[in-house]
Amino acid sequence: MFRLDGKIALITGASYGIGFAIAKGMANAGATIVFNDIKQELVDKGLEAYKVEGIEAHGYVCDVTDEDAVNALVAQIEKEVGVIDILVNNAGIIKRIPMTEMKASEFRQVIDVDLNAPFIVSKAVIPSMIKKGHGKIINICSMMSELGRETVSAYAAAKGGLKMLTRNICSEYGEYNIQCNGIGPGYIATPQTAPLREIQPDGSRHPFDKFICAKTPAGRWLQPDELAGPAVFLASEASNAVNGHILYVDGGILAYIGKQP
Ligand code: NAP
Ligand code: GCO
């Protein structure tokens, strides 16, 4: 029941990072992998990286915030690959700026990629999922779907909204055998969090690196590949009765007060 053979999975923003790791896991479970990125050079790099893993992926250039481009992408995928069975709304950005110093345009940009785009892409794939009689949508949420912290106001607002968009897609389309769930990763070692792990000029660890390790019961950053199993579960028949759920894959951060300094 955990296999994805015969299923077509679109993972947005999956040339590298969490999307790439989730795509690898889904490919190993039998899915056909389709991904997009904003730049052709990144799509090409991604195709190479999938090939190294023995995965013949399908890559497309598409900005997920552009509704016309997304609708054209889904039509092209349906023509060239087939109807999308599994959608992972993974593409995302973050801007770490104190709120009172953040421009409204910067706030809007984060909301556009992290919240508006999952709406746009989900809206584009749901009609064919309804026709096909099933579908799986997985939204990549965050610790910031539940918690705030300094400098990430736009990101937290977007990821909090994404949690409720997940629940609303579940509510509105569950009757068509479409399950929409979220994955809430903890702190994962990817390019997006690299600035939080930079070695300081004096050779010491970044204060945030030490902070996160104290907040994670296992005392470490998580790896992208640790998200693959939960994603395969939510993409498979094994989760057909799971809907509107945010599965936190955080190593226990949300359960833990943190190690005493
Ligand atoms: P990442 O390394 O920054 O990768 C993000 C990917 O999304 C990149 O391939 C990026 O492409 C793509 N992307 C950004 N804007 C796009 C757009 N408008 N259209 C298409 N693709 C776009 O991030 P990550 O750490 O893998 O995170 C992936 C997802 O997990 C994000 O939604 C993030 O918020 C979430 N998340 C991350 C963590 C973590 O600790 N890393 C934890 C919780 C949740 P470009 O390179 O061209 O920009
Ligand atoms: C940050 C980090 C986090 C992670 C992730 C945690 O600046 O706090 O980037 O937001 O990306 O979302 O779940």
Side-chain angles (χ1 to χ4, degrees):
M1 64 171 75
F2 295 94
R3 295 294 303 172
L4 304 179
D5 302 284
K7 296 287 195 296
I8 295 169
L10 168 62
I11 303 98
T12 64
S15 298
Y16 57 86
I18 286 173
F20 183 77
I22 286 176
K24 269 194 308 181
M26 291 186 172
N28 291 336
T32 296
I33 299 304
V34 185
F35 74 101
N36 72 295
D37 224 308
I38 305 178
K39 304 172 203 114
Q40 186 61 51
E41 63 185 288
L42 267 175
V43 169
D44 295 343
K45 266 200 198 138
L47 287 168
E48 276 313 304
Y50 283 111
K51 253 202 187 83
V52 166
E53 301 287 340
I55 299 166
E56 283 304 319
H58 303 262
Y60 296 88
V61 177
C62 179
D63 176 346
V64 289
T65 64
D66 178 340
E67 186 165 24
D68 291 341
V70 167
N71 290 335
L73 169 71
V74 170
Q76 191 177 2
I77 293 169
E78 289 188 357
K79 190 159 146 267
E80 296 175 358
V81 188
V83 171
I84 295 160
D85 301 287
I86 302 159
L87 167 64
V88 181
N89 283 309
N90 166 77
I93 62 171
I94 191 166
K95 288 183 184 300
R96 300 182 182 97
I97 306 167
M99 196 180 104
T100 52
E101 296 166 30
M102 185 179 245
K103 296 191 192 80
S105 58
E106 292 169 318
F107 188 94
R108 285 195 198 97
Q109 194 188 352
V110 175
I111 297 292
D112 214 14
V113 180
D114 295 3
L115 180 56
N116 293 344
F119 159 76
I120 288 169
V121 186
S122 301
K123 182 179 153 200
V125 305
I126 283 171
S128 295
M129 288 181 170
I130 292 174
K131 279 197 205 104
K132 209 168 181 183
H134 66 254
K136 296 280 188 180
I137 298 174
I138 301 168
N139 292 323
I140 306 299
C141 297
S142 162
M143 294 287 94
M144 275 57 220
S145 297
E146 301 294 341
L147 303 168
R149 86 172 183 87
E150 301 79 2
T151 77
V152 296
S153 59
Y155 185 82
K159 293 299 188 179
L162 187 56
K163 173 173 73 171
M164 284 315 301
L165 178 63
T166 301
R167 291 180 176 160
N168 216 76
I169 293 172
C170 147
S171 308
E172 198 162 357
Y173 296 101
E175 68 177 285
Y176 302 104
N177 191 29
I178 293 171
Q179 291 85 46
C180 180
N181 293 288
I183 286 179
Y187 279 81
I188 316 294
T190 71
Q192 191 243 49
T193 55
L196 305 174
R197 286 175 278 109
E198 252 161 30
I199 297 297
Q200 302 300 284
D202 65 2
S204 63
R205 285 166 63 192
H206 193 296
F208 198 87
D209 174 7
K210 288 186 273 191
F211 169 67
I212 284 306
C213 290
K215 290 289 285 179
T216 307
R220 65 177 176 85
W221 287 73
L222 304 180
Q223 295 303 317
D225 285 347
E226 293 180 280
L227 296 167
V232 167
F233 164 64
L234 289 177
S236 71
E237 305 283 315
S239 61
N240 280 359
V242 179
N243 210 353
H245 182 73
I246 312 297
L247 176 55
Y248 286 99
V249 185
D250 65 353
I253 292 175
L254 290 178
Y256 185 37
I257 195 169
K259 190 171 287 304
Q260 187 185 342

